[in-house]
């Protein structure tokens, strides 16, 4: 990487081989946060170490829970019990991590008689927090934001259960309310019109919380004590996805990605790619840490355009930038609708994707809630791609470079460390090994 953080990704003739990706970021955050309020120790194996999840370790330590780092991906979290967290003297820095700030706020809202302040970096400070302030206040918590943004001040109080219908399809908001529900008097129900990732529900049930699920809602009852014991974290589908798309686009590729989380609420991209004609096979299906997992075999395939609508958006939310790239290579016009949430991510991901892929030669136009892409089944030209400090956009640029004619220069490429610090090393090894075969 250059001093300015630019990484040049050269085109490749094919991608072949076997890889594995780090542990799932969503589950890693949850294992540490829930582990911190468990009784006794939680051993977390396959922890997905990244800037985001390290912020979570830092946060629970600041709150008095000890975390031993036994290995790069093995942690022992010493739980302090549901009501054992202690407010630090200063603010808790959530860095770039939306999942951390929103889930932690739910837990802190139940720490009666204590006050906490949550801060974050410039990106996190520009993201909407009103979406958690509102339900937490309804539950009786004292929560103040800066006009819907960080810093957030949370005063733990006696909470009461609510029935809360999510106004936006957000697993972070759902999780915040469910975690607060552990501390509430009576039942707490979150109604979600469109399903979102359910890692919190799965983990809380594994920890002994009383969680009941219906097709469009989840209910949690107050908890006396939680205990996890051990959590094994499967590989992150969102970190596998750039490689899946790269192998689909680069002719002659045959790539295996092992040990990936295949929770159906995360793998919407596979359904989308399948409609487009991609060849992705799942084998060795198994359960890892209570989650569906398996291995993927990806073979390059010509793609056709498809349309993605609102109901599919939460199932592929972090992979929609990659859908835009796949669509740029697919015959016909692809459309994404109902994805205005992309504008509330680490960057405005509609603008970042549209500007980024256009600079590489794609025919893509933004809309208020998505984009339209006129695909051409050929390599894109290539060129510079501004990540805007967003990890998913930096990885998008890298994959686009592999599948391009001239390569891509990914600006502010270091942003990948937010979810996948070894991304460029893995990519370089794979490209070199594929060239040597
Ligand atoms: C996440 C949920 C999603 C996703 C984010 C991680 C989680 O956010 O985009 O990367 O771990 O719950 P929203 O739930 O706000 O859409």
């Amino acid at each position: 990487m250059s001093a300015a953080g630019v990484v040049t990704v050269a085109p490749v003739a094919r991608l072949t081989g076997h890889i594995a990706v780090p542990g799932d970021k969503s589950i890693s955050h949850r294992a540490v946060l829930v582990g911190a309020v468990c009784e006794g120790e939680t051993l977390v194996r396959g922890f997905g170490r990244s800037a985001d999840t390290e912020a979570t370790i830092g946060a629970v330590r600041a709150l008095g829970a000890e975390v031993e780092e036994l290995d790069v991906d093995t942690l022992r979290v010493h739980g302090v019990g549901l009501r054992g967290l202690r407010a630090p003297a200063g603010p808790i820095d959530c860095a770039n991590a939306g999942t951390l700030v929103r889930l932690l706020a739910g837990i802190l809202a139940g720490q009666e008689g204590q006050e906490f302040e949550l801060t974050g970096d410039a990106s996190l400070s520009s993201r909407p927090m009103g979406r958690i302030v509102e339900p937490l206040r309804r539950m009786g918590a004292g929560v103040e934001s800066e006009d819907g943004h960080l810093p957030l001040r949370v005063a733990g109080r006696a909470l009461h259960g609510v029935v809360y219908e999510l106004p936006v399809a957000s697993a972070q908001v759902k999780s915040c309310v469910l975690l607060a529900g552990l501390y509430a008097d009576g039942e707490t129900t979150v109604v979600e019109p469109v399903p979102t990732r359910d890692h919190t529900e799965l983990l809380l049930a594994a920890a002994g919380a009383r969680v009941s699920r219906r097709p469009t809602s989840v209910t949690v009852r107050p908890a006396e004590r939680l205990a996890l014991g051990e959590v094994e974290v499967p590989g992150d589908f969102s970190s596998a996805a750039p490689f899946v798309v790269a192998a689909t686009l680069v002719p002659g590729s045959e790539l295996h990605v092992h040990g990936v989380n295949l929770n159906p609420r995360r793998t919407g991209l596979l359904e989308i790619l399948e409609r487009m004609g991609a060849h992705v096979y799942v084998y060795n299906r198994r359960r890892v840490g209570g989650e569906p997992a398996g291995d993927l075999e990806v073979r390059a395939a010509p793609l056709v355009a498809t349309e993605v609508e609102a109901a599919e958006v939460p199932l592929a939310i972090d992979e929609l930038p990659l859908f835009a790239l796949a669509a740029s290579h697919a015959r016909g016009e692809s459309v994404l609708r109902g994805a205005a949430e992309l504008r509330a991510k680490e960057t405005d991901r509609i603008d970042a994707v549209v500007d980024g892929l256009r600079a590489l030669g794609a025919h893509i136009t933004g809309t208020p809630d998505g984009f339209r892409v006129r695909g051409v089944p050929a390599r894109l030209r290539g060129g510079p791609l501004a990540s805007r400090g967003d990890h998913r956009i930096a990885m998008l640029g890298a994959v686009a470079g592999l599948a391009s004619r001239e390569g891509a220069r990914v600006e502010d490429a270091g942003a990948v460390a937010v979810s996948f610090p070894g991304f460029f090393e893995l990519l370089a090894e794979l490209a070199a090994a594929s060239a040597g075969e």
Side-chain angles (χ1 to χ4, degrees), residues 19-30 46-50 52-53 99 197 199 233-244 257-263 266-267 288 291-294 296 318-319 322 391-392 395 418-421 426:
I19 61 168
V21 294
D24 186 87
K25 179 159 81 74
S26 288
I27 301 172
S28 296
H29 279 302
R30 287 161 170 79
F47 176 71
R49 183 175 289 274
S50 65
D52 260 20
T53 57
T99 303
R197 67 189 68 192
H199 308 303
V233 184
D236 197 329
F237 180 78
S238 297
S239 299
F243 294 94
V244 170
V257 192
H258 295 273
V260 184
N261 178 244
L262 294 174
N263 183 318
R266 292 290 297 283
T267 53
V288 175
E291 293 260 347
L296 301 175
D318 295 333
E319 289 66 62
L322 290 165
H391 56 131
R392 304 265 176 237
M395 289 191 261
V418 160
S419 62
F420 193 167
L426 179 59

Side-chain angles (χ1 to χ4, degrees), residues 29-180:
H29 279 302
R30 287 161 170 79
V32 173
L33 290 170
V34 175
V37 291
C38 277
E39 303 291 325
E41 295 173 1
T42 300
L43 189 68
V44 185
R45 294 187 198 277
F47 176 71
R49 183 175 289 274
S50 65
D52 260 20
T53 57
E54 283 181 346
T56 294
I57 295 178
V60 304
R61 279 181 177 153
L63 288 159
E66 195 192 324
V67 181
E68 284 176 83
E69 303 184 39
L70 305 178
D71 193 346
V72 66
D73 64 354
T74 315
L75 306 178
R76 190 181 288 128
V77 183
H78 295 257
V80 295
L82 276 163
R83 291 173 174 77
L85 297 174
R86 291 293 162 257
I92 300 167
D93 181 8
C94 297
N96 194 245
T99 303
L100 169 57
V101 73
R102 296 193 176 114
L103 273 60
L104 184 57
I107 294 173
L108 298 181
Q111 308 295 315
E112 269 182 71
Q114 300 197 65
E115 289 192 15
F116 308 87
E117 185 177 342
L118 299 174
T119 58
D121 69 6
S123 157
L124 193 59
S125 302
S126 70
R127 296 177 64 186
M129 295 300 149
R131 53 181 60 193
I132 58 167
V133 172
E134 208 252 327
L136 289 177
R137 279 192 186 155
R138 276 205 214 175
M139 296 178 80
V143 190
E144 298 295 332
S145 70
E146 207 60 49
D147 212 8
H149 296 93
L150 297 183
L152 210 60
R153 281 180 201 83
V154 182
R157 298 205 183 135
L159 304 180
H160 47 83
V162 289
V163 175
Y164 188 67
E165 179 158 359
L166 292 179
V168 284
S170 166
Q172 293 179 354
V173 177
K174 172 177 67 176
S175 301
C176 172
V177 176
L178 292 177
L179 288 165

Side-chain angles (χ1 to χ4, degrees), residues 372-388:
R372 309 182 85 85
V373 186
R374 185 163 54 76
V376 178
R379 285 181 179 255
L380 292 178
R381 181 191 62 237
L385 184 132
S387 76
R388 305 187 182 193

Side-chain angles (χ1 to χ4, degrees), residues 151-239:
L152 210 60
R153 281 180 201 83
V154 182
R157 298 205 183 135
L159 304 180
H160 47 83
V162 289
V163 175
Y164 188 67
E165 179 158 359
L166 292 179
V168 284
S170 166
Q172 293 179 354
V173 177
K174 172 177 67 176
S175 301
C176 172
V177 176
L178 292 177
L179 288 165
L182 296 171
Y183 298 91
D185 176 6
E187 288 185 358
T188 298
T189 296
V190 179
V191 180
E192 52 174 1
V194 182
T196 64
R197 67 189 68 192
D198 58 359
H199 308 303
T200 302
E201 295 90 303
L202 292 172
L203 201 68
L204 286 180
R210 290 173 296 168
V211 180
S212 43
R213 302 181 61 175
R214 281 174 294 276
T216 57
S217 70
V218 193
T219 299
V220 68
R221 280 186 268 163
E224 287 304 315
R225 62 187 301 279
L226 298 180
L228 272 170
E230 195 169 319
V231 181
E232 195 181 345
V233 184
D236 197 329
F237 180 78
S238 297
S239 299

